[in-house]
Amino acid sequence: MTAGPHPLRPPIAAPSILSADFARLPEEVAIADPARDWVHCDIMDHHFVPNLTFGPMIVGAVHRLTPAFLDVHLMVEHPERLVEEFRRAGADQMTVHLEACADPPAVLGRVRASGARVGLALKPGTPLAAAERFLGDLDLLLVMTVEPGFGGQRFMEDMLDKVRAARASRERLRADYLIEVDGGIAPDTARRSLEAGADVFVAGHSVFGEPHPAEALAALREAIGAAGARR
Ligand code: DX5
Ligand code: ZN
């Protein structure tokens, strides 16, 4: 099921501003090409994950800086309480963690009702089977390829099996959710994730941790063959 703002045609690179220099946010955000890339915003609440990042104010600022599709990853407890506020700030898609939802259908329904696209994220230890009954209602399934909470961690190779399984489930269910990988993504790990069936590639450190982020993003796009046409 798809609804809400139009995404791009996969494969899609999604630079994560978690690793950006927030003192230079306009220049950092400007490397994303709205015709080819999403901008990924990591919301961490110091409860669901140990780290604490930013909220709707910064998402609103990013929205004013770029027309790019805003992919908001909610690593928070009680995500349902924040849906409308992030939507008003400019979130085009909100991805909630299955592990943070007391009532997943209600939370996913609330995101849908806000007008945003609906994503569901799985921590590395959460099997795909736990999400099986929600897959038909999703626009995006996020397979975490590190333990959520911090940028710059090492890609977990064994998550490629979960990506393959997510791809197989999509075909079996005739669903059309995009499969996103997030954590330790660089050109080499992106390429292996692409081969396993991923569509969207979130990258923080490998883009903004480089001396020339625009070039690093270009290398990621090239590795995945991001074409950038509308879906
Ligand atoms: C981690 C976040 C990621 C993070 C990825 O919990 O969800 O989006 O920005 O960072 P890298 O690409 O540095 O692993
Ligand atoms: Zn993320």
Side-chain angles (χ1 to χ4, degrees), residues 199-225:
D199 304 294
V200 186
F201 304 82
V202 178
H205 188 74
S206 74
V207 170
F208 293 109
E210 289 293 315
H212 301 292
E215 288 170 22
L217 177 56
L220 176 64
R221 283 190 207 111
E222 183 163 341
I224 60 175

Side-chain angles (χ1 to χ4, degrees), residues 28-44:
E28 299 280 69
V29 167
I31 71 165
D33 175 355
R36 288 189 287 185
D37 311 316
W38 290 358
V39 173
H40 185 85
C41 300
D42 286 305
I43 314 302
M44 305 188 191

Side-chain angles (χ1 to χ4, degrees), residues 14-19 40-44 49 51 73 75 97 142 144-155 181-186 202-207:
S16 165
I17 59 167
L18 181 65
S19 295
H40 185 85
C41 300
D42 286 305
I43 314 302
M44 305 188 191
V49 292
N51 204 356
H73 179 191
M75 284 161 278
H97 269 267
L142 168 49
M144 288 303 302
T145 45
V146 298
E147 209 51 63
F150 296 94
Q153 301 182 77
R154 193 187 186 85
F155 179 79
V181 285
D182 182 5
I185 296 295
V202 178
H205 188 74
S206 74
V207 170

